[in-house]
Amino acid sequence: MAQLDPTKIKVQSNALPVWETEVTFQEMMAERLRAAPWLILSAAIHVALGVALWILIPPEVKKETAKKVEMQTQEVEEVVEPPPPPPPETKPEEVTDDVVVTETAVSENTEQAFDNVSENTSKESAFDSNQWNSAVGLGGGAGGKYGGRGGGGKGKGGGKSYAAAIDAGLRWLKDHQDEDGKWDCDGFMKHDDASSEVCDGPGNAVHDVGVTGLALLAFLGDGSTMRSGPYKDTIKKGVIWLKEQQQENGLFGTNASHDFIYDHAIAAYAMCEAFGLSNYQLLKPTAQKGINYLESHRNPYSVWRYQPRDNDNDTSVTGWAIMAYESGEFFGLTINTEALKLCAQWLDQVSDPTGLHGYTKQGEVSSRKPGDHATRFPTEKGHAMTAVGLFCRFFMSQDPKEKPVMKAAADLILSRPPIWDTKAGTIDHYYWYYATYALFQTGGRHWTEWQKKLETAVVKNQHMDKTKKNLYGSWDPTCAWGDDGGRVYSTAILVLTLEAYYRYSRLVR
């Protein structure tokens, strides 16, 4: 095969030689220089935008600095927060000055001022939630200790029989209230219908303040206040009258009777509830002055009895004072907290491992008046002082798991259930009231067994014969202290007794 000599091949082309078409370095530089103004302009624009962004958006470092400043401010606020105010002095005469409330004086036309309370601003308690109930469970919305009021006519607790008994009792009290607002201890029957049998059972006229306070507590316990509820006008009238009975030193009523402090303590207790549950600020000075008087009456470094600061003490008067103090504190009044500590010490001092709480000393049972009072109402038929002590322990936040004496006291009370027997002298409405509240707080078998006896003794002995319309809804004052308080006392305190299901929430879980 013939071989091809590449050197002898000739290719013809019309293209220019490479060295003639290749762009030289000088030509490239010239081209770049011609475009230079536009590059400079673009760079300038980018620089300007960068500067603008730097000005508008703060650097990250400054954010951190701002946070540090804010944290320092919060720390300063915590440091300068004022400490809680110290408790009032324990000496009564010194405490009175400490607890003076500076508030706008109540108008002389108090009734008109109360009538002007706006229904639109109605509120059951100064507190929101559950706590003096539901004041705090109240039917209207207070919370805590006062957890679930408004049960009487609504069938809460105890069933229909209890609801009917409470409703009838409250109506009797309403129908026997004077126009000026008080309940007349010895003259209440002036309101009776002349066409029917007139009520008997007058009490002692010196206790109008006390029975008025009890009646108000009964209406408040069912859920009505000065602002709302079926008995708001009844409460309003009673509160106005009580307020008008208060002296400059805070005492409700006078010291005419040897046991006047009972009346004052009950009235102060009622005024604290009326103020707190109605959230009516014009009552605050009145309620505070009532607490102030109690403090001025209390024995130095101890508790209460009949005369102010005479170093005589007893569990009965002290029980009402404790409830007034606890109520006042709950609703924001100023109290001497040291006094409550002394009350707790007193209860420990007068009680023993059997659970028995003494009257003026350990082992001493309830008091009786001179004469045949102790014969007609034997003290061994009940344990009134033990009931007072046990309920007050619960209200002062003591726990049976930590205080064995409370369980022993409950056992002792249960051994003396309520029995309506006029011949045996077992009727003691005062004992039944405190015992019912104490055992409701205890709960369990103590409560279930007690409340069965309570229905037989209390509910079934209420006057419910509609043909005797003057007596209908009331209870006969055939009890240990019926001669003093009369039919108004017995009816008010037994209505309160039946309200134990919902007047206060259970305080220990």
Side-chain angles (χ1 to χ4, degrees):
M1 185 172 93
Q3 292 184 348
L4 182 63
D5 185 359
T7 61
K8 293 183 178 182
I9 296 174
K10 294 182 180 180
V11 180
Q12 186 174 352
S13 174
N14 295 323
L16 294 173
V18 175
W19 55 86
E20 292 182 8
T21 60
E22 185 178 11
V23 179
T24 66
F25 175 79
Q26 289 82 358
E27 291 174 334
M28 290 175 64
M29 289 300 296
E31 182 64 22
R32 292 292 185 271
L33 289 172
R34 283 193 293 272
W38 301 105
L39 289 173
I40 293 170
L41 179 60
S42 174
I45 292 172
H46 280 80
V47 170
L49 288 173
V51 171
L53 289 174
W54 182 80
I55 293 172
L56 293 175
I57 302 177
E60 198 64 28
V61 177
K62 288 194 174 182
K63 289 184 179 179
E64 295 176 358
T65 303
K67 289 181 180 178
K68 289 180 181 179
V69 172
E70 183 179 353
M71 290 175 65
Q72 291 172 355
T73 301
Q74 292 173 351
E75 290 174 1
V76 171
E77 289 177 355
E78 291 179 2
V79 171
V80 299
E81 183 177 353
E89 296 291 330
T90 56
K91 292 184 178 181
E93 64 272 15
E94 296 174 2
V95 170
T96 303
D97 293 334
D98 290 344
V99 295
V100 170
V101 175
T102 56
E103 184 138 355
T104 304
V106 179
S107 166
E108 289 184 4
N109 193 346
T110 308
E111 186 167 2
Q112 182 178 358
F114 286 177
D115 286 339
N116 290 335
V117 173
S118 171
E119 296 298 329
N120 295 329
T121 59
S122 158
K123 185 178 179 184
E124 293 292 323
S125 168
F127 302 86
D128 295 321
S129 104
N130 159 50
Q131 202 210 353
W132 209 270
N133 332 267
S134 251
V136 217
L138 281 184
K145 292 177 179 178
Y146 288 70
R149 296 194 173 193
K154 304 174 181 63
K156 292 182 180 179
K160 292 182 179 179
S161 63
Y162 276 60
I166 291 168
D167 186 57
L170 291 176
R171 281 188 317 216
W172 186 89
L173 289 170
K174 177 181 181 296
D175 291 342
H176 288 82
Q177 183 185 29
D178 285 3
E179 278 303 311
D180 63 4
K182 78 171 180 294
W183 277 268
D184 192 338
C185 206
D186 64 327
F188 62 87
M189 63 285 296
K190 62 178 171 283
H191 300 288
D192 285 349
D193 189 325
S195 65
S196 184
E197 180 183 354
V198 177
C199 289
D200 60 355
N204 190 325
V206 299
H207 296 305
D208 286 353
V209 165
V211 298
T212 296
L214 281 177
L216 285 174
L217 286 168
F219 287 109
L220 291 163
D222 194 55
S224 290
T225 71
M226 291 174 64
R227 297 182 186 273
S228 64
Y231 298 109
K232 65 178 182 180
D233 291 334
T234 302
I235 294 173
K236 194 184 298 183
K237 287 166 60 178
V239 167
I240 291 171
W241 183 81
L242 267 188
K243 182 187 178 305
E244 290 171 348
Q245 308 315 304
Q246 190 173 48
Q247 300 182 31
E248 280 301 313
N249 65 354
L251 174 66
F252 288 105
T254 69
N255 59 358
S257 67
H258 82 286
D259 54 355
F260 72 94
I261 190 61
Y262 274 107
D263 299 300
H264 171 80
I266 294 170
Y269 181 14
M271 193 62 72
C272 288
E273 280 209 11
F275 154 64
L277 297 176
S278 301
N279 192 27
Y280 194 66
Q281 291 301 308
L282 283 180
L283 278 183
K284 186 173 184 179
T286 304
Q288 183 66 65
K289 285 171 66 177
I291 295 294
N292 293 356
Y293 179 80
L294 274 176
E295 184 62 22
S296 70
H297 187 106
R298 183 178 61 81
N299 287 310
Y301 309 106
S302 195
V303 290
W304 290 266
R305 206 180 182 195
Y306 300 136
Q307 298 304 313
R309 297 172 58 79
D310 66 351
N311 293 315
D312 200 10
N313 307 282
D314 79 49
T315 301
S316 185
V317 174
T318 297
W320 291 108
I322 287 172
M323 294 308 299
Y325 268 47
E326 289 285 353
S327 174
E329 182 178 38
F330 187 87
F331 290 118
L333 299 179
T334 301
I335 69 158
N336 184 358
T337 55
E338 290 300 315
L340 289 177
K341 294 178 183 178
L342 292 168
C343 290
Q345 292 176 16
W346 170 260
L347 294 179
D348 287 341
Q349 179 182 330
V350 298
S351 58
D352 61 37
T354 69
L356 182 69
H357 287 59
Y359 177 51
T360 64
K361 60 185 178 181
Q362 190 178 91
E364 184 182 35
V365 293
S366 302
S367 68
R368 290 293 184 262
K369 293 184 291 186
D372 67 345
H373 193 224
T375 303
R376 291 188 294 124
F377 301 99
T379 55
E380 66 269 16
K381 299 293 184 177
H383 291 294
M385 295 304 99
T386 300
V388 172
L390 180 56
F391 178 57
C392 287
R393 286 181 183 276
F394 274 111
F395 229 78
M396 291 191 293
S397 302
Q398 294 186 16
D399 191 333
K401 295 176 183 176
E402 301 171 357
K403 301 282 281 188
V405 70
M406 296 175 71
K407 169 64 165 56
D411 291 340
L412 204 59
I413 294 169
L414 192 58
S415 71
R416 297 289 186 274
I419 299 173
W420 193 289
D421 187 338
T422 53
K423 293 182 179 179
T426 56
I427 307 173
D428 189 344
H429 299 160
Y430 181 82
Y431 166 49
W432 296 355
Y433 164 74
Y434 270 110
T436 300
Y437 278 79
L439 294 189
F440 173 77
Q441 292 296 327
T442 303
R445 71 174 184 87
H446 292 88
W447 171 240
T448 55
E449 291 183 23
W450 178 270
Q451 65 93 19
K452 290 176 185 176
K453 301 286 187 180
L454 189 68
E455 180 158 6
T456 302
V458 176
V459 176
K460 295 188 176 181
N461 282 285
Q462 184 182 27
H463 284 284
M464 296 297 275
D465 183 352
K466 291 187 177 180
T467 64
K468 298 180 179 181
K469 53 186 177 181
N470 289 329
L471 290 170
Y472 182 82
S474 69
W475 280 270
D476 293 333
T478 54
C479 60
W481 305 104
D483 292 343
D484 297 276
R487 188 170 295 275
V488 177
Y489 157 77
S490 289
T491 301
I493 203 165
L494 288 180
V495 167
L496 280 165
T497 300
L498 297 180
E499 291 173 351
Y501 278 94
Y502 53 80
R503 186 168 168 230
Y504 301 117
S505 60
R506 281 204 164 98
L507 306 176
V508 177
R509 301 294 179 179

